[in-house]
């Protein structure tokens, strides 16, 4: 069995049809040099046959300067629909399934920026098994040495706008085919029957951020509005002096909620503490404990967006900076791939919504955040966008600081996989819920 370098689905069809129509074929998705283990073909084909899988892939190793590191992959779930899912360089395809899928794609392959791989694997995944083999069966040369924090924003790099537009079109067609497309509706929040102590609350969950929390709180307290607001800081059992620093702040707008270790709260649990508290306003607006707003009018702009667009959630844009607020690549993260017409659907394809995020409090109280410290915001955003419109602010109103203390600045492959696996789980649940709602 030979390995076919994948360039586009046209070439793949030609290679398959000219190669004797074996049951399986292996494609190489990138140009890295590789070395197969002796039992690679036997093991992959055995599993693909036994599992009747349409796509089969496996763990692999990466080599650089003689040093070899392990690169595990994760299981493909129903919601593993993001276009950057890591199959690894080598993927085994069921020939019959691949030909059936590419037959339906032949009219548009000349316009496929990625050669049609994303559309091909989405089409092949419908109703079929995709098998991840948890065994290291080959080795490739390592070429990407960036830290996880640098890779995180590839999908919103302005240089990739055409690629993202194409991917959105492919994914939208997939949602239409599986019945998962949604059309959120507006919601009037101005004249709520529920009573709130203030119009808006800035919510800051924090744990051990003594070096940055004062900057965040000062940024929040300095907001200029024509409505009443407060700042709810949920201190999650900090032990580095963060809580003591917060206790010294005398501004009455600051509401400090102290969480004990025994409560076992993640960031999502801290958000729930704030949302369900007596202090929470009609709108709850995010500010992370190591970030700041770009000016004193951010809160006003966010709340005004709720009124003008009658939405259940507002998402702004941010500038990526270093600790001293110097812009760093890729700069402004504005998620312009979001559109009022299709943003709620496209959100299932990408890994984030942007920042700062703000919520109409009654909606969040009905749902609540998962008690995790990763993906809790994405889960809430997906849930709200299923039914309600999301207002967008495309100018940067938030500085997101990248520094050594960031929790996602330099993650191991194992932790990155856990994060991706959890978000794929969230997508799976949300996609199933959307399909069921449409039925």
């Amino acid at each position: 069995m030979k390995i076919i370098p994948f360039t586009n689905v046209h070439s793949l069809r030609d290679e398959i049809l000219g190669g004797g129509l074996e049951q399986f074929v292996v494609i190489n998705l990138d140009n890295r040099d590789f070395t197969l283990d002796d039992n690679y073909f036997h093991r992959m084909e055995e599993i693909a046959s036994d599992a009747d899988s349409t796509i089969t892939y496996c763990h692999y190793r990466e080599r650089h300067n003689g040093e070899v590191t392990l690169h595990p992959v994760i299981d493909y779930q129903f919601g593993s629909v993001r276009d950057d899912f890591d199959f690894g360089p080598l993927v085994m395809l069921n020939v019959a399934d691949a030909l059936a899928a590419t037959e339906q794609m032949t009219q548009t392959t000349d316009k496929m920026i990625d050669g049609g791989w994303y559309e091909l694997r989405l089409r092949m995944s419908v109703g079929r098994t995709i098998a991840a083999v948890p065994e290291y069966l080959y080795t490739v040369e390592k070429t990407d040495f960036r830290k996880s924090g640098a890779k995180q924003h590839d999908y919103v790099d302005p240089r990739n706008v055409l690629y993202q537009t194409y991917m959105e079109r492919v994914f939208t067609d997939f949602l239409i085919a599986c019945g998962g497309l949604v059309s959120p509706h507006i919601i009037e929040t101005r004249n709520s029957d529920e009573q709130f102590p203030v119009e808006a609350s800035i919510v800051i969950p924090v744990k051990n951020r003594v070096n940055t929390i004062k900057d965040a709180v000062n940024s929040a307290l300095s907001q200029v509005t024509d409505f009443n607001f407060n700042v709810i800081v949920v201190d999650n059992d900090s032990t580095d002096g963060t809580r003591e620093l917060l206790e010294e702040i005398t501004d009455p707008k600051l509401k400090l909620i102290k969480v004990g270790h025994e409560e076992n709260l993640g960031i999502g649990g801290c958000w729930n503490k704030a949302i369900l508290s007596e202090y929470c306003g009609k709108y709850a607006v995010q500010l992370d404990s190591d970030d700041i707003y770009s000016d004193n009018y951010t809160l006003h702009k966010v709340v005004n967006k709720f009124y003008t667009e009658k939405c259940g959630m507002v998402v702004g844009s941010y500038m990526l900076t270093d600790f001293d607020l110097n812009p760093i690549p890729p700069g402004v993260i504005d998620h312009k791939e979001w559109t009022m017409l299709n943003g709620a659907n496209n959100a299932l394809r990408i890994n984030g919504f942007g920042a700062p995020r703000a919520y109409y409090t009654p909606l969040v109280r009905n749902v609540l955040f998962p008690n995790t410290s990763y993906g809790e915001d994405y889960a809430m955003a997906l849930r709200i966008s299923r039914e309600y419109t999301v207002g967008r602010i495309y100018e940067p109103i938030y500085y997101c600081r990248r520094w050594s203390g960031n929790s996602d600045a330099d993650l191991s492959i194992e932790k990155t996989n856990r994060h991706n696996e959890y978000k794929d789980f969230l997508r799976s649940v949300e996609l199933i819920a959307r399909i069921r709602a449409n039925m």
Side-chain angles (χ1 to χ4, degrees), residues 185-256:
H185 59 267
I186 62 173
I187 181 173
E188 182 57 71
T189 65
R190 183 185 295 271
N191 300 314
S192 171
D193 293 334
E194 191 170 347
Q195 298 300 309
F196 298 92
V198 292
E199 183 74 353
S201 294
I202 297 172
V203 177
I204 309 176
V206 63
K207 183 177 180 67
N208 293 337
R209 284 290 187 267
V210 70
N211 292 326
T212 60
I213 186 59
K214 193 170 184 180
D215 292 340
V217 170
N218 287 341
S219 174
L221 292 174
S222 65
Q223 292 300 296
V224 177
T225 66
D226 56 4
F227 51 80
N228 292 327
F229 74 94
N230 61 26
V231 179
I232 304 175
V233 179
V234 184
D235 179 69
N236 193 5
D237 193 42
S238 291
T239 57
D240 68 341
T242 294
R243 179 170 295 187
E244 291 75 12
L245 187 155
L246 290 167
E247 290 172 334
E248 295 174 358
I249 299 175
T250 58
D251 192 315
K253 290 198 296 292
L254 178 64
K255 309 299 179 182
L256 177 59

Side-chain angles (χ1 to χ4, degrees), residues 31 52 65 142 148 173 215 222 236 276 311 339 364 368 385 428:
N31 294 318
D52 190 27
N65 290 337
K142 185 171 184 175
S148 59
D173 289 342
D215 292 340
S222 65
N236 193 5
L276 297 173
C311 47
T339 64
V364 180
L368 296 182
S385 66
S428 297

Side-chain angles (χ1 to χ4, degrees), residues 275-333:
I275 289 290
L276 297 173
S277 75
E278 61 182 328
Y279 309 123
C280 195
K282 184 189 298 183
Y283 305 106
V285 186
Q286 170 226 358
L287 180 58
D288 286 350
S289 59
D290 46 8
D291 299 331
I292 64 174
Y293 293 136
S294 61
D295 60 37
N296 295 339
Y297 298 95
T298 291
L299 184 60
H300 175 79
K301 295 171 186 174
V302 169
V303 171
N304 186 59
K305 182 64 69 169
F306 277 105
Y307 291 152
T308 58
E309 296 195 6
K310 298 181 179 180
C311 47
M313 177 180 171
V314 171
V315 181
S317 302
Y318 60 90
M319 173 71 75
L320 208 62
T321 75
D322 62 18
F323 188 84
D324 297 317
L325 302 184
N326 299 304
I328 59 176
V332 176
I333 308 297

Side-chain angles (χ1 to χ4, degrees), residues 4 67 87 129 137 182 205 259 270 278 301 304 311 388 418:
I4 301 174
E67 182 178 345
F87 291 93
T129 297
L137 298 176
V182 295
V259 173
C270 290
E278 61 182 328
K301 295 171 186 174
N304 186 59
C311 47
Y388 304 102
R418 287 198 296 272

